[in-house]
Every structure is written in C-alpha cells, then in structure tokens.
Amino acid sequence: MAKRKFPTTQDGIMMLAQEMMSGFAKNPTVFPNPPIDVAAQGTRLNSTQGSINNVVAAEATRKSATQTKDGEIGLLSDEMKENIEYAEFIAQGDDAILKLISWSARAAPQKQQPPTQARLFEIIKFGAGWFKADWKDPIGGGRVEMYKILRRELNAGGDMKEAGSSVISEATLVDQPRGVELEYTVIAVNKAGESEPSNSVTITL
C-alpha cells in the first residue's frame, strides 16, 4: 500500500486535521497517548480556522474598499474634467491662464502627411499574363492606407497607369498584357496624398 503524502494545501491540511482528531478521539485504546492530545489539537484547529476566517473577512473588506476607492477616483476624475473644460473655455487657448490650474492648452491637431516612398519593389513570381510582387513599407510620412501598382509599356512611352491595388505590401496581378516589355512601380497612398514611386521593375509576361 502506497504511503499517503502529507497535504500541501490549506484545505487539505484542515480536512486531514479534522479526520485525524476524530480518529484519535474514537480510538483511545489504540492511540492512548498521542504527543498532542485530542483537546489540544481541537484548540489548535479552532484557532487556525479562526485565522482563516479573519483572512477571508479581511479580503472581502479590502475588495469592498478597493471598489469604493475606484468609484471615488472615477467621480473625482469626471468632476476635474468638467472644470478643465470650463477653464479651457475661459482661457481660449491662453496657456498662461491654464497654467494657473496646472493645465495647458491642447496641442493643435497635426496635419496628416503623405506616405514616403515604398521600398524594394520586386516581382517574385510570374507567368503568362500574371505576376506576384512584393515590396517594403515606407519608413516615414503618414500611415499608408493603400498601395497602387502602376504600369506602362516601356517602348510606348506615356504616363504610368494604375494596374492594380493592395492594402498590404504584396499583390498578385492577372490579365496583364503579354509579349511586350512592361515597366511596373508602386506608390503608397493616404488621404493626404501619394508617395513618390518606388523603384521600377521591367518584365515581359
């Protein structure tokens, strides 16, 4: 028979203590002189249970106090914000007035900037009338909202025309002209404008 291991949890220790005390009390002829007698063990058990109850009550009190504190902080914050709005109305952007209450004027919203140039545009796979390209995101300027892939026939001249678009830094384009040398590039776009074109790549599909 495997030897029972002494419990390591609070509940396990308390349960075993109760069972042991009951077993000693019911079998005095088997266990006539335990080192800690049943009465002393009962006193210790009751004392321990009282300490556990105190901790449970203290935790409940702490939780209630924390909830009260958080509620008060929220109310205080709301009231402070009302007074800040009032002070901002009075100050009309005058920092000197707002500094009287340890506040400052709101920073003017920054105008969105166009993205900077997309980087390392390359065609990584291609076939008859299609290709897959990828590139690196810009490292400056405003946030990119989309990319446009531009195309023109290399020997025909003229402006670049939009051939496709993507919201991530890769795209697969199909139904592209075949048998002619084409030049492709990509530009980054947001509401503020367009970036400079990336490097260009020429290919015949």
Side-chain angles (χ1 to χ4, degrees):
M1 182 177 180
K3 183 177 180 181
R4 183 174 177 181
K5 293 182 178 180
F6 193 84
T8 57
T9 64
Q10 174 181 292
D11 290 345
I13 291 169
M14 294 297 289
M15 182 177 293
L16 179 58
Q18 292 169 352
E19 292 172 350
M20 287 177 60
M21 189 176 68
S22 177
F24 280 127
K26 291 178 180 178
N27 298 281
T29 57
V30 179
F31 307 106
N33 295 302
I36 311 299
D37 65 36
V38 172
Q41 191 75 87
T43 299
R44 176 65 65 192
L45 183 63
N46 290 336
S47 174
T48 304
Q49 186 61 61
S51 295
I52 291 172
N53 293 343
N54 289 340
V55 169
V56 171
E59 289 179 348
T61 299
R62 181 189 61 79
K63 183 177 180 180
S64 176
T66 299
Q67 290 175 338
T68 300
K69 178 263 297 179
D70 290 345
E72 291 292 340
I73 288 290
L75 292 172
L76 176 62
S77 298
D78 290 342
E79 292 169 355
M80 290 168 66
K81 289 174 184 177
E82 284 190 38
N83 275 348
I84 286 171
E85 289 181 2
Y86 162 77
E88 287 176 337
F89 174 77
I90 295 294
Q92 294 295 305
D94 188 334
D95 247 1
I97 294 177
L98 292 174
K99 283 180 180 178
L100 297 174
I101 60 166
S102 298
W103 196 244
S104 60
R106 299 181 184 183
Q110 293 186 345
K111 184 179 180 181
Q112 186 180 27
Q113 299 296 316
T116 57
Q117 187 180 48
R119 302 168 294 125
L120 301 177
F121 175 68
E122 61 180 345
I123 292 175
I124 55 176
K125 294 181 182 179
F126 66 93
W130 71 273
F131 69 87
K132 181 176 181 179
D134 68 9
W135 54 91
K136 301 296 183 184
D137 295 325
I139 57 174
R143 183 177 65 85
V144 177
E145 295 176 2
M146 68 174 294
Y147 294 96
K148 292 180 182 179
I149 299 92
L150 307 181
R151 177 193 76 209
R152 68 181 170 190
E153 289 188 28
L154 192 62
N155 295 324
D159 295 332
M160 288 277 195
K161 304 292 185 182
E162 184 175 345
S165 64
S166 177
V167 295
I168 58 176
S169 55
E170 65 176 47
T172 299
L173 274 62
V174 298
D175 297 327
Q176 299 299 297
R178 302 186 189 185
V180 294
E181 193 171 17
L182 301 167
E183 180 183 9
Y184 288 91
T185 188
V186 64
I187 59 173
V189 181
N190 65 17
K191 290 183 176 66
E194 300 179 345
S195 71
E196 293 295 320
S198 70
N199 61 291
S200 62
V201 175
T202 59
I203 190 171
T204 301
L205 302 174

